[in-house]
Amino acid sequence: MAKPNYSFEKRQRELAKKKKKEEKVKEKAGRKAGADGEPESVADEGDGAAPAADSTGQTPS
């Protein structure tokens, strides 16, 4: 019976991971390029920053 080649299997897994990651990056870049004219989602707007001050210089409570 043949001995399993674990190095070959590991290399194949690494190549599969690398390919999948590159596809994700490519897809993400495509979505970003296609979203230039579209408004951002509501989830991105809430970045945790303090609310803006009104004309009197006081922050709303």
Side-chain angles (χ1 to χ4, degrees):
M1 189 162 136
K3 185 174 96 173
N5 188 348
Y6 294 112
S7 297
F8 176 78
E9 293 174 10
K10 182 178 179 183
R11 178 73 176 140
Q12 294 303 305
R13 284 193 307 271
E14 290 173 351
L15 289 172
K17 276 187 192 179
K18 186 176 179 181
K19 182 178 178 184
K20 187 174 182 180
K21 187 174 181 178
E22 288 174 356
E23 288 174 358
K24 277 187 162 184
V25 169
K26 190 175 184 181
E27 181 181 328
K28 190 174 183 181
R31 280 188 282 148
K32 188 173 183 178
D36 287 340
E38 299 174 12
E40 294 183 11
S41 67
V42 177
D44 291 341
E45 293 175 5
D47 59 357
D54 61 4
S55 61
T56 61
Q58 297 177 346
T59 57
S61 49

